[in-house]
Structure formats: C-alpha cells, structure tokens
Amino acid sequence: MDVQDAIQLTLQGQEAMQLGQYEEAARAYHEAIRLAPRLDGAYFQYASALLWRGLPNEALTALDRCVALAGPWRDHASGLAASVRAQLGAPPKKSKWASIKGKVLRA
Amino acid sequence: MTARLDPPASLDGAAPTLIMETVVLRFLARVIHADGVVDPREVKILLDVAAGLEMGEEEARRILADELHRTSDAAALARQIPDADERLTVYSLGCAMAYAEGTLGDEEQAILDAFARGAGIDATAASEILADAAREAGHD
C-alpha cells in the first residue's frame, strides 16, 4: 500500500513540476521516497525538482541512489548525473559573473 | 500487482539547461526580492541578467516565478558552488544586485550574510566586498 501511495505522491509531484512549483514537487517526491525507499523513479524525479530549485549537490545524492537501485530509471539517472557533474566540474565562470555584475551596476 | 513508475522516453525538461547559472539566478532573485514585493522593474533586471547568463527566457521565467513563490535558502545556494574564488565572485555579484535598487536594506543584508556564511566567506572579507560594491554603485 505504501508503494501505491508513493506513486500517487509522484503524480502530485509531476503536476507541481508542470506548474513550475518545484518546491512543492520536491516535497511530494521526498515523501514518496520515505514511503517507498526502493521506488527508483521517485529518486530521479526528486533530483529533477532539486536541480530546478538550484540544489545540484543534493540532486546528485538522489541520482546516485537511483543508480544504485539498478532499476528501470538507472540509465536516465546515470546520464543526468554525468551531465550535472560535467557542469559542476567545468572551469569557474568568474568572467561571466563579472560581466553580469557590470550589467547589474549599469541597471 | 506490482506498482511501478516507468521512465520517460527522453530527459527533456528533467533539469535546467545551465546548472550553475540556475544557482546564481536564484541567488540574485533572492537578493532583489528580499523585501518580498514583486516589482516589474526587478523582474526586468532579472530577465536581463538571465539573458546575460545565456539562459532561455522561458526557462528563466519558470525559475524566477518559482523563486518568487518559494524563496531559496541563500546559504544552501552558496554551498552548491564548488570553487572558493567563484563563491567570492558570486557574492560580489549579489552585493551589486543589492545596491541595484538604491540603498541596502536589512533584508538584503541578511540574505547576503547567509550566502557569505554558506560560502565560507569570513565577515571581514564579506564587509570589504560589500563596501567595494557600494563604491562601484556610487554609494560611498
């Protein structure tokens, strides 16, 4: 029964994601994970909401867990985690931020 | 019956296109929206910033709408930036944003302080960066 409830929560999370309400989505997915800790898709979707919330480190933890469960979402989670790690490991963008600062000061 | 969630055919929309830019845009939105009032001029500044960050406008609007609806923890955003020097640069950018509207209010100061704590920037360095931003914005 917990798994069914968890899936219902992921559906609520997907609705919130479609509305751009990422915090609400993350909460729904987090609760789904609590109810069904082996529901790998919930970890992937939780990670997705966290990425939109600007929390890539926490998202990577969820993606790694999804990969470790070795379920049907493993390849998606592995691909997304690699993409996020590549961006986080890229050279710092200090010149980009400095350029934006100039724009802000002119505003 | 075994309940299951099937994965999607593609990953489109599973994540913002630019991960670090999303973190920075949320921080800047958090600073400029510190007083809790949505001002169309502030939104325009943020969309201009997003364009400068090379983010798509639709994606930026989605992120900003969410940030204005559910504000982020500035310290948590700071902890997402792996490079210490980059955290300093982004903090400096946040300070400039705080002065974009004029004077620095208590709310903006609190958010900058939280970011500095999360970024591991000591109080002396944070004060110096903030003072530099004030000078650059003509508030010295």
Side-chain angles (χ1 to χ4, degrees), chain B residues 71-135:
Chain B
T71 56
S72 291
D73 174 349
L77 293 175
R79 287 193 289 270
Q80 308 302 316
I81 304 172
D83 183 80
D85 285 345
E86 192 167 22
R87 290 196 292 272
L88 284 172
T89 309
V90 173
Y91 174 73
S92 171
L93 174 54
C95 292
M97 183 60 91
Y99 279 110
E101 288 186 293
T103 55
L104 181 74
D106 290 345
E107 298 97 339
E108 287 98 343
Q109 180 74 65
I111 289 161
L112 291 172
D113 288 348
F115 185 91
R117 276 197 306 278
I121 302 171
D122 69 58
T124 304
S127 294
E128 287 172 1
I129 293 168
L130 184 59
D132 286 345
R135 269 193 299 279

Side-chain angles (χ1 to χ4, degrees), chain A residues 4 7 17 20 22 24 44 48 52-58 72-73 76 87-88 93 96-97 101 107, chain B residues 1 3 5-6 8 13-14 17 19-21 26 41 53-54 62 66 69-71 79-80 86 92 136:
Chain A
Q4 293 291 357
I7 288 176
M17 289 288 282
Y22 303 112
E24 285 80 355
F44 181 92
S48 174
W52 282 100
R53 284 295 291 169
L55 299 170
N57 292 335
E58 290 79 354
W73 291 74
H76 281 321
Q87 289 201 42
L88 293 182
K93 300 175 177 174
K96 190 173 193 178
W97 314 138
K101 184 178 175 186
Chain B
M1 186 182 84
L5 282 177
D6 290 322
T17 312
I19 299 298
M20 199 51 65
E21 285 80 353
R26 281 192 178 270
R41 181 176 166 273
L53 291 170
E54 299 164 329
R62 286 176 72 86
D66 183 55
H69 172 64
R70 292 283 188 194
T71 56
R79 287 193 289 270
Q80 308 302 316
E86 192 167 22
S92 171
E136 287 168 337

Side-chain angles (χ1 to χ4, degrees), chain A residues 1 13 67-68 93:
Chain A
M1 195 60 195
V67 171
K93 300 175 177 174

